[in-house]
Amino acid sequence: DKSTASKDSTTEGTSKKQEGTAGTPKQKLLDIIGSMKVEVSYRKKLQELKARESKKQALNRQDGPDSEGTQRTTEDIQRGKPLNPELVKAASAVASSFPLNKKQTESELLAQLRRHEETTDKQRKGDTVNIRNVISEMTVKRQSPAQRGVRISRRISLEFDEDSQRIRPERFSSQSFDSRRSLKVGKRLNIFTKASTEPEHALKTVSSPTIWDLEFAKEIAAITAQPPRNGFEEMIWWTKEGILWEYPIDNEVGMEDDAEFHEHIFLEKHLEGFPKEGPIRHFMELVICGLSKNPYLSVKQKVEHIEWFEKYFEEKKEFLQEI
Amino acid sequence: MAAAALWWALRAARQVLPSPCPVQVRSYYVDWRMLRDVKRRKLAYEYADERLRINAIRKNSLLPKELQEVADKEIAALPRDSCPVRIRNRCVLTSRPRGVRRRWRLSRIVFRHFADHAQMSGVQRAMW
């Protein structure tokens, strides 16, 4: 009766929902799924109610103890590992000592024993988390009253500077705390399972972001970029755009020459493609002399310079031999 | 100079940062002569290395004269707008070819206009 009543209520609910919504097939599906969920939860409640009723009936009956005891022992044997007979006897003795509801207490004690056995088995296997291991690594943080006052004052004041950077002393305190307790010391607790690194779907169906995506990104950027409220923000914006230099002025901005001085000056090794004597060699030695004194070109550019001349003279080789 | 280089790099990469306030952007050059001047500048930049190298062959006394004559013909074959001599430093705002102060790239009239309205940093009317 109760289950039918519940189903009626849920169907009424779903019909109401359907009337309310537009009635598209997708929404109907969603409603059905929602109603299914509702039924399951109600079913669980029904099961609980039934279990409670059965328990009450078991309490109320108190018929022949032998038959019930045999039933229970068979149940015990059916569930997993059989308990120690001595423990069972002890449990029955304890239950008998209780004034009321001997059978109830006996069953509850046996259930508790079973749970205890399960936990011990798990601990032997090492599945559960041993709280001792967790607590052993933890230490109590002690705040001195002077530091506490400073910290409260810090919290009250602004967290961020104008440049959106945290105030430095906080960083130092956290660093000092980390130095006392390093992260990699101690036994592994195995509380968290390693997140399975899914193969990143780098290649989407569209190889490069479409024009619409770019436009959308530009739109978002344009909306989020608010006009500068004061001169400082204006200067920040100009620095980002490149209109304003970054202070303190770095003379080598944009120049990333990692080559050593000897690569700039001793360029004779690039002259291997040229003849060893003659006017061309003389000319190229002058070119190299000039390049070695040039501080404005990078090594790559100098090498390209020499290679251009090599290519040029290669092309003119036949013409030169006629002369 | 570094800032200018950075600025041009940004432009070349076509990464236009969204400006917080709508900036007036000039989408046309002042006149056609300015446009032609811009084209000449671009070409001169592209062919600068080649012109330098061919001139280096032409202007020395070590290499044989025949080679230098060939180099002469080669440099003459390059596009006419690639030589830097054809660039004229026009005023950036009015495209005036004469009376342009190189430091500000402005003609004398525009310079005076801005200086009188106190929009030129560090420029003052002379009095002595």
Side-chain angles (χ1 to χ4, degrees):
Chain A
D1 295 332
K2 283 183 189 171
S3 57
T4 50
S6 68
K7 274 174 193 169
D8 289 334
S9 63
T10 46
T11 47
E12 277 172 21
T14 49
S15 63
K16 277 180 193 170
K17 275 182 204 168
Q18 280 173 358
E19 280 164 20
T21 55
T24 56
K26 199 176 178 184
Q27 277 165 341
K28 281 179 191 170
L29 247 178
L30 287 169
D31 294 333
I32 289 162
I33 290 162
S35 64
M36 272 163 62
K37 280 185 191 166
V38 169
E39 279 184 55
V40 164
S41 62
Y42 205 90
R43 216 182 265 164
K44 274 191 184 171
K45 283 185 189 170
L46 278 172
Q47 280 177 354
E48 282 176 17
L49 277 171
K50 281 179 186 170
R52 273 182 228 156
E53 281 179 10
S54 62
K55 273 191 190 173
K56 281 179 191 170
Q57 283 169 9
L59 272 172
N60 293 330
R61 271 183 212 161
Q62 287 198 357
D63 287 339
D66 298 325
S67 59
E68 287 200 15
T70 50
Q71 276 179 7
R72 284 214 194 89
T73 48
T74 48
E75 278 174 19
D76 294 340
I77 289 158
Q78 277 164 12
R79 289 179 214 170
K81 217 176 164 186
L83 293 169
N84 208 349
E86 290 180 359
L87 284 170
V88 171
K89 279 184 195 170
S92 59
V94 165
S96 60
S97 70
F98 273 95
L100 295 164
N101 298 333
K102 288 178 193 177
K103 304 301 163 194
Q104 175 90 25
T105 48
E106 202 184 316
S107 62
E108 281 175 359
L109 282 168
L110 288 168
Q112 278 212 345
L113 267 175
R114 205 168 295 107
R115 265 178 261 149
H116 186 73
E117 284 284 334
E118 280 173 20
T119 51
T120 48
D121 286 341
K122 267 190 189 174
Q123 275 183 354
R124 274 177 222 154
K125 285 174 199 169
D127 287 340
T128 52
V129 175
N130 205 354
I131 292 176
R132 272 189 200 166
N133 291 341
V134 176
I135 293 170
S136 64
E137 284 296 311
M138 299 192 328
T139 55
V140 174
K141 186 176 163 183
R142 274 166 204 165
Q143 272 186 0
S144 62
Q147 278 185 349
R148 205 194 292 170
V150 174
R151 271 172 208 174
I152 287 163
S153 66
R154 262 188 224 139
R155 271 177 223 157
I156 288 162
S157 66
L158 284 166
E159 270 190 354
F160 292 99
D161 290 341
E162 284 184 11
D163 297 330
S164 74
Q165 286 173 3
R166 285 220 163 168
I167 300 170
R168 279 237 171 131
E170 283 185 6
R171 253 189 242 159
F172 281 133
S173 69
S174 67
Q175 276 177 2
S176 65
F177 205 78
D178 287 334
S179 64
R180 270 184 260 154
R181 290 234 142 272
S182 60
L183 291 166
K184 297 186 184 171
V185 159
K187 213 166 61 166
R188 271 196 161 239
L189 296 169
N190 293 327
I191 298 173
F192 302 109
T193 52
K194 210 172 181 184
S196 59
T197 52
E198 290 172 4
E200 287 180 8
H201 303 288
L203 287 170
K204 298 179 186 175
T205 50
V206 183
S207 58
S208 64
T210 58
I211 298 166
W212 305 114
D213 292 337
L214 288 169
E215 283 299 315
F216 187 56
K218 277 186 203 171
E219 237 185 88
I220 290 169
I223 288 162
T224 51
Q226 295 297 318
R229 295 177 293 180
N230 50 31
F232 293 114
E233 289 194 7
E234 199 183 33
M235 281 201 273
I236 292 165
W237 181 252
W238 283 351
T239 315
K240 274 187 204 167
E241 290 215 334
I243 298 166
L244 205 58
W245 284 347
E246 283 183 22
Y247 295 97
I249 291 174
D250 183 18
N251 276 325
E252 289 168 18
V253 167
M255 269 171 49
E256 287 172 19
D257 214 5
D258 302 324
E260 297 286 313
F261 73 97
H262 55 86
E263 285 174 48
H264 276 95
I265 291 168
F266 303 115
L267 297 160
E268 280 164 14
K269 58 186 172 188
H270 302 294
L271 277 190
E272 283 163 16
F274 294 94
K276 294 219 174 168
E277 284 179 358
I280 293 176
R281 182 79 184 194
H282 195 162
F283 172 73
M284 287 314 295
E285 277 174 11
L286 283 176
V287 166
I288 276 165
C289 179
L291 281 177
S292 66
K293 293 181 191 176
N294 190 336
Y296 301 108
L297 296 178
S298 66
V299 174
K300 213 176 167 187
Q301 284 169 316
K302 291 181 185 177
V303 168
E304 271 174 25
H305 198 88
I306 295 165
E307 278 171 11
W308 186 91
F309 276 111
E310 207 178 314
K311 216 169 47 171
Y312 184 82
F313 288 125
E314 281 280 323
E315 285 168 15
K316 309 291 174 201
K317 220 176 187 180
E318 298 135 11
F319 180 76
L320 289 167
Q321 276 162 8
E322 284 171 28
I323 304 164
Chain B
M1 227 198 66
L6 241 178
W7 177 240
W8 279 111
L10 271 173
R11 277 269 183 87
R14 299 269 172 99
Q15 282 170 358
V16 180
L17 289 167
S19 58
C21 30
V23 179
Q24 278 185 330
V25 178
R26 179 183 281 280
S27 44
Y28 296 99
Y29 289 109
V30 177
D31 55 5
W32 288 92
R33 285 172 285 177
M34 194 191 235
L35 214 184
R36 277 183 267 146
D37 196 56
V38 166
K39 282 187 205 167
R40 281 180 202 129
R41 281 169 193 266
K42 277 187 195 161
L43 270 184
Y45 181 79
E46 278 172 48
Y47 285 94
D49 292 335
E50 245 184 87
R51 285 192 95 94
L52 174 76
R53 288 155 191 170
I54 295 171
N55 268 328
I57 290 169
R58 282 172 67 217
K59 301 286 179 181
N60 65 12
S61 51
L62 303 165
L63 296 172
K65 282 183 189 172
E66 292 83 0
L67 190 63
Q68 284 173 356
E69 282 164 20
V70 167
D72 282 341
K73 284 175 200 167
E74 271 192 23
I75 203 166
L78 289 176
R80 198 165 273 191
D81 274 350
S82 64
C83 61
V85 190
R86 287 171 70 99
I87 293 169
R88 181 81 198 185
N89 291 325
R90 288 177 165 272
C91 170
V92 164
L93 292 178
T94 53
S95 179
R96 197 162 193 273
R98 295 193 174 98
V100 180
R101 299 300 295 179
R102 198 167 197 150
R103 186 171 164 185
W104 296 278
R105 301 179 187 176
L106 292 174
S107 86
R108 53 178 178 85
I109 303 154
V110 177
F111 174 80
R112 244 178 74 94
H113 177 267
F114 283 136
D116 287 340
H117 288 76
Q119 284 162 9
M120 297 294 277
S121 171
V123 174
Q124 199 189 19
R125 273 186 164 265
M127 191 174 1
W128 72 96

